[in-house]
Amino acid sequence: MENYIISQLLRLISIPSVSGNESDILFYIEEEIERIGLDYERQKVEGSYYNILAGDVKRPRWVLCTHVDTVAPIDSISPRAEIKNDRVYGLGACDVKSGVAVMLGLLREFKELIEEKNILFAFLVDEEKDGRGSKELSHYLSNIEGIKGAIVIEPTNMELAIREAGSIEVMCFVEGKWAHGSCPEAGDNAIIKAIDIIKNFDKLPFLKDRDEFLGMSTYNVLYFSGGSEELRVPAKAKFLVDFRIMPTRNVDEAVGSIVSFFRTYGVTYEFRDISGGFAISEDEEIVRLLGLAYEEVLGSKPVLGGMKSWTDAENLYTIEIPPLVFGPGRLEDAHTPWENVAIKDLLDFYRVLRRFIEIA
């Protein structure tokens, strides 16, 4: 089974699946489930998308899910898969085709018992964009009683993430005044104004929040544009900024602080995404059972942690299913040209989930 999981991960990485173009990888997953000899269902998602559901679709007690899409490759580099220094490298290696490979391995091993164990396996689309896959799944699950919890596979460095940061993403537009580039005093440089605005973000009160599992609230400028190579003072600049919000902070309050800040600095803005964070208790049954499986398999107690990025777990949390985020690989390596997952962690992760299924 270990060779199966590694070979599946290499194959999955080689199939491009940027958000909005998941068709090829969905077809492959369907073919593999058919080869295993299991039934599955397509769950229609807004647009031309669909999720793949297998296992106990009608009356699950537990949900195991991962997403099949990736971000676009940097500089249009094609997805590549290679093994080097006991690690698998390639776009999606840890975010999160490792999860797809492990779920296929679990379906293969437990195909005789999968419905008896009341576990729904969900392969979701669109996580890297709008989360439409998990929204549709959550809408469906909201009509089913008795679901005890969910494991959402994401790179947590094998920590059990019981908290997740929220996100506020906003595009900002800054206006200045044109002038000849040799006469900056006659214009108003929009780029310099934008940089000054960014430097003052630290005044936002929610950026002083700290969480024991997530660390400090942060912000990141994702995109910046302004000016040209012509000799003129730029009159327009824009940038996209992402704020990370702690679960204890009311997200509407944080939005209000941002609006007040932008009004003070004369910024025109457009909110792209607003998502609240969440926290589940370490006493939840999903945490207890997965922690027990972890300890039995790996011989040590798991580390509890937090997920700094938005995941499909939020949509499950909104319908009161306790979601635990868990997986191999480091979040900081995801979305980079060197994205990778250690083979040891990949296989340890498989063994932990295997044990979870046995005791669930």
Side-chain angles (χ1 to χ4, degrees):
M1 186 58 70
E2 293 182 354
N3 289 336
Y4 174 85
I5 292 168
I6 295 169
S7 64
Q8 282 298 320
L9 178 55
L10 293 169
R11 177 72 181 108
L12 290 161
I13 291 171
S14 72
I15 302 172
S17 57
V18 174
S19 292
N21 293 282
E22 294 101 317
S23 296
D24 288 348
I25 198 167
L26 290 170
F27 292 154
Y28 178 78
I29 292 168
E30 289 175 329
E31 290 175 349
E32 191 60 29
I33 294 174
E34 288 172 0
R35 278 192 288 267
I36 291 169
L38 288 170
D39 295 329
Y40 64 88
E41 293 184 11
R42 287 184 176 184
Q43 181 184 53
K44 184 73 171 63
V45 177
E46 179 187 355
S48 58
Y49 293 99
Y50 63 90
N51 298 323
I52 298 173
L53 307 182
D56 190 345
V57 177
K58 302 301 182 185
R59 48 183 176 79
R61 289 186 303 148
W62 307 100
V63 178
L64 181 60
C65 66
T66 192
H67 65 88
V68 304
D69 59 317
T70 70
V71 293
I74 295 173
D75 296 329
S76 300
I77 298 172
S78 297
R80 70 192 189 286
E82 61 178 334
I83 296 178
K84 184 169 59 177
N85 299 325
D86 297 320
R87 292 177 176 271
V88 176
Y89 284 80
L91 181 62
C94 67
D95 188 17
V96 67
K97 292 182 178 181
S98 53
V100 178
V102 165
M103 284 174 58
L104 289 173
L106 292 168
L107 286 171
R108 189 168 184 251
E109 181 166 6
F110 288 98
K111 66 178 181 179
E112 305 299 334
L113 296 173
I114 211 69
E115 288 198 29
E116 180 182 321
K117 287 294 184 176
N118 301 115
I119 301 174
L120 169 64
F121 285 66
F123 300 87
L124 306 176
V125 296
D126 193 45
E127 191 271 350
E128 298 289 1
K129 287 293 186 181
D130 299 315
R132 285 180 282 182
S134 57
K135 286 178 185 175
E136 188 60 40
L137 177 67
S138 298
H139 176 72
Y140 171 72
L141 295 178
S142 66
N143 297 310
I144 299 176
E145 295 182 357
I147 300 176
K148 296 184 175 183
I151 299 172
V152 179
I153 303 175
E154 290 282 359
T156 67
N157 203 24
M158 295 294 286
E159 295 183 358
L160 274 57
I162 60 174
R163 300 184 189 180
E164 182 171 294
S167 171
I168 300 174
E169 193 173 286
V170 56
M171 183 70 80
C172 307
F173 305 89
V174 180
E175 297 285 338
K177 180 184 176 183
W178 299 111
H180 191 279
S182 65
C183 308
E185 72 283 355
D188 187 11
N189 192 309
I191 293 177
I192 293 175
K193 289 177 68 175
I195 292 171
D196 181 61
I197 290 164
I198 293 167
K199 286 180 177 179
N200 280 283
F201 279 155
D202 288 332
K203 294 178 180 179
L204 289 164
F206 63 82
L207 288 178
K208 296 178 175 61
D209 294 346
R210 182 177 182 82
D211 181 272
E212 64 174 307
F213 295 123
L214 293 164
M216 294 294 296
S217 286
T218 59
Y219 70 88
N220 181 39
V221 177
L222 304 172
Y223 166 83
F224 192 105
S225 174
S228 69
E229 296 184 13
E230 304 299 331
L231 188 57
R232 62 170 65 99
V233 175
K236 295 180 182 294
K238 67 177 181 178
F239 59 92
L240 180 65
V241 60
D242 174 70
F243 296 99
R244 293 287 126 179
I245 310 299
M246 294 297 100
T248 51
R249 173 68 65 167
N250 181 286
V251 71
D252 292 332
E253 180 182 310
V255 168
S257 297
I258 293 169
V259 169
S260 296
F261 177 90
F262 285 157
R263 285 175 178 169
T264 299
Y265 284 87
V267 178
T268 304
Y269 53 89
E270 177 185 300
F271 286 101
R272 295 290 181 85
D273 180 69
I274 300 173
S275 303
F278 69 82
I280 66 170
S281 169
E282 57 189 273
D283 295 325
E284 290 283 357
E285 188 172 2
I286 186 71
V287 182
R288 181 183 63 80
L289 277 180
L290 189 59
L292 178 61
Y294 185 107
E295 190 169 357
E296 288 182 2
V297 170
L298 301 182
S300 61
K301 290 185 178 295
V303 175
L304 298 181
M307 169 52 70
K308 293 183 178 181
S309 180
W310 186 92
T311 74
D312 289 320
E314 190 210 359
N315 284 327
L316 295 170
Y317 181 79
T318 59
I319 60 167
E320 300 182 348
I321 294 176
L324 181 62
V325 186
F326 176 51
R330 304 191 314 163
L331 181 63
E332 53 264 43
D333 292 330
H335 300 188
T336 71
W338 55 86
E339 183 172 343
N340 70 89
V341 64
I343 291 175
K344 179 184 182 302
D345 288 346
L346 174 70
L347 299 179
D348 282 348
F349 176 67
Y350 168 75
R351 287 190 283 265
V352 171
L353 288 189
R354 182 181 186 274
R355 183 57 182 153
F356 170 81
I357 290 175
E358 290 173 341
I359 64 178

